[in-house]
């Protein structure tokens, strides 16, 4: 290439990258955003295994954080007496409501809102959630605080980013041991159930996930959660 051509090429404006089109959910056609952590579980086999692990009874009230397009919710509804679900996006809640109504279910209460700000249901027995990474720790802290307040739940089956789950399950002295892991050990028993590959989600995240089960310790420790957590910060 001649010098004149090189000089001319340097004067040309840089080509702007073509924006990536949002991934569409295969069933509903709703656009999904990776930036918002919208990696929705769509593998039917994994969904069934996930819900089965919660061991839901017909008399149970179930709390779900993040209904998405209702893939997990629709597995919860025929098993539970009541399903409470909350999602940040109204389009997700409307899609889940539409699916539940079309299937004839009337035992769901769905709300639009930030799960970290809206009140949890007054009473629930089981929490089943595919938690976005950004709110995983705050939601688990809220569940632990609930035990301290005397309104315990029976179990929580949570799908978490695998690295986060490993830190939560770490032992004292291990690299990942943290304030959250210490709190979980005091107030609950934590068990690792199974791992979930990235291809089970739409759009596929860059990491794998892990499903864990939390069960409150019985009897509950006679410790005020807020005072204890402030002390170990």
């Amino acid at each position: 290439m001649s010098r004149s051509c090189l000089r001319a090429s340097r004067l040309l404006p840089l080509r702007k990258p073509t924006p990536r089109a949002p991934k569409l959910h295969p069933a509903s056609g709703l656009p999904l955003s990776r930036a918002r952590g919208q990696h929705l579980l769509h593998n039917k086999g994994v969904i069934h295994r996930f819900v089965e692990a919660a061991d839901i009874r017909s008399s149970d009230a179930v709390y779900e954080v993040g209904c998405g397009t209702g893939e997990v919710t629709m597995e919860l509804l025929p098993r539970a007496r009541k399903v409470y679900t909350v999602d940040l996006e109204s389009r997700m809640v409307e899609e889940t409501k539409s699916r539940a109504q079309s299937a004839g279910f009337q035992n769901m209460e769905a709300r639009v809102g930030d799960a970290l700000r809206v009140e949890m249901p007054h009473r629930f027995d089981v929490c089943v959630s595919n938690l976005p990474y950004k709110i995983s720790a705050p939601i688990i802290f809220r569940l632990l605080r609930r035990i301290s307040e005397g309104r315990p739940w029976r179990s929580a089956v949570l799908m978490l980013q695998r690295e986060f789950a490993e830190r939560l399950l770490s032992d004292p002295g291990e690299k990942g041991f943290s304030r959250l892991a210490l709190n979980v050990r005091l107030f609950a028993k934590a068990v690792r159930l199974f791992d979930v590959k990235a291809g089970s989600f739409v759009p596929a995240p860059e990491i794998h996930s892990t499903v864990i089960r939390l069960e409150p310790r019985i009897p509950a420790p006679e410790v005020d959660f807020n005072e204890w957590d402030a002390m170990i910060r």
Side-chain angles (χ1 to χ4, degrees), residues 106-158:
Q106 298 180 343
N107 57 329
M108 182 183 74
E109 184 176 312
R111 298 180 63 184
V112 178
D114 185 342
L116 298 180
R117 296 185 177 184
V118 300
E119 289 292 325
M120 286 183 170
H122 179 70
R123 174 189 170 274
F124 63 91
D125 304 286
V126 181
C127 178
V128 180
S129 295
N130 171 25
L131 288 177
Y133 174 70
K134 291 181 180 179
I135 66 169
S136 294
I139 290 294
I140 293 173
F141 276 124
R142 293 192 79 181
L143 289 170
L144 298 178
R145 186 177 296 109
R146 181 100 172 198
I147 299 172
S148 173
E149 293 170 349
R151 293 185 291 165
W153 31 272
R154 188 175 73 248
S155 68
V157 176
L158 308 174

Side-chain angles (χ1 to χ4, degrees), residues 135-198:
I135 66 169
S136 294
I139 290 294
I140 293 173
F141 276 124
R142 293 192 79 181
L143 289 170
L144 298 178
R145 186 177 296 109
R146 181 100 172 198
I147 299 172
S148 173
E149 293 170 349
R151 293 185 291 165
W153 31 272
R154 188 175 73 248
S155 68
V157 176
L158 308 174
M159 190 171 295
L160 308 168
Q161 181 177 317
R162 186 166 65 183
E163 290 78 4
F164 178 87
E166 289 172 349
R167 294 198 299 273
L168 184 146
L169 298 168
S170 61
D171 293 321
E174 292 183 348
K175 183 179 179 181
F177 193 71
S178 64
R179 165 175 150 250
L180 176 61
L182 179 58
N183 273 303
V184 167
R185 280 177 169 269
L186 177 63
F187 289 94
K189 294 178 289 184
V191 179
R192 182 176 192 152
L193 298 180
F194 57 92
D195 292 334
V196 181
K197 294 182 179 179

